[in-house]
């Protein structure tokens, strides 16, 4: 399974903010630190804020901060929110639906594999993801003190 670019970025933004300490970086600073386009970072930040995982303040003294809910957020829940719960394969799509869709065992097997993937991420939190050795590396690539 391959994660969407927005899912990857959401996880990296959460991890980056988990090590931000007292500083509240802006979306632009996070985008620069993560080496991603500002527009992509802004969309992800808006969704994470809507989910209650980030707090965003505008203006002087503003910036981004990880909420308590964000620090304790399940990695599996974040991935599900960005990836959706749709099937891995689209058996109905395209100009001609798959002729095996009525009797296919592959779709069920792929669905079980997808759920096993999410289940393996569910117990992990954002805080777990920034434990050593990851946290110090994140600090090394960011503007955080």
């Amino acid at each position: 399974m391959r994660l969407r670019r927005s899912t990857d970025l959401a996880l990296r933004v959460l991890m980056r903010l988990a090590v931000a300490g007292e500083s509240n970086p802006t979306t632009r600073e996070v985008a620069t630190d993560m080496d991603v386009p500002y527009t992509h970072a802004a969309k992800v930040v808006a969704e994470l804020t809507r989910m209650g995982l980030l707090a965003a303040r505008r203006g002087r003294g503003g910036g981004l901060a990880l909420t308590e809910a964000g620090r304790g957020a399940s990695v599996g829940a974040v991935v599900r929110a960005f990836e959706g719960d749709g099937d891995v394969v689209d058996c109905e799509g395209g100009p001609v639906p798959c002729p095996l869709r009525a009797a296919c065992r592959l779709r069920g097997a792929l669905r079980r594999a997808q759920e096993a993937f999410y289940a393996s991420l569910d117990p992990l939190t954002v805080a777990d993801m920034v434990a050593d050795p990851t946290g110090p590396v994140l600090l090394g690539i960011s503007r955080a003190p």
Side-chain angles (χ1 to χ4, degrees):
M1 185 170 164
R2 183 179 184 101
L3 296 180
R4 293 181 179 139
R5 191 172 178 188
S6 60
T7 306
D8 174 49
L9 182 54
L11 293 170
R12 290 192 290 148
V13 166
L14 290 170
M15 291 168 60
R16 162 64 178 84
L17 292 173
V19 298
E22 294 297 314
S23 72
N24 290 338
T26 65
T27 302
R28 192 165 304 280
E29 289 170 342
V30 170
T32 298
D33 292 346
M34 297 287 110
D35 195 25
V36 297
Y38 169 76
T39 54
H40 294 271
K43 288 177 186 175
V44 167
V45 164
E47 181 61 19
L48 291 170
T49 301
R50 188 196 65 72
M51 292 169 64
L53 304 180
L54 298 183
R57 286 194 356 230
R58 298 182 135 210
R60 190 172 178 90
L64 304 173
L66 192 63
T67 64
E68 280 304 312
R71 184 167 298 283
S74 161
V75 173
V78 173
V79 172
R80 271 188 193 88
F82 277 84
E83 292 292 317
D85 275 338
D87 286 328
V88 176
V89 292
D90 182 11
C91 301
E92 306 297 327
V96 179
C98 177
L100 299 176
R101 72 186 179 281
C104 183
R105 296 178 64 178
L106 178 60
R107 183 172 35 181
L110 290 172
R111 171 55 92 176
R112 287 188 299 278
Q114 180 182 26
E115 282 307 312
F117 171 74
Y118 287 143
S120 70
L121 296 176
D122 283 340
L124 301 172
T125 66
V126 171
D128 294 334
M129 296 295 95
V130 297
D132 282 344
T134 306
V137 172
L138 280 166
L139 285 172
I141 64 169
S142 69
R143 292 168 172 55

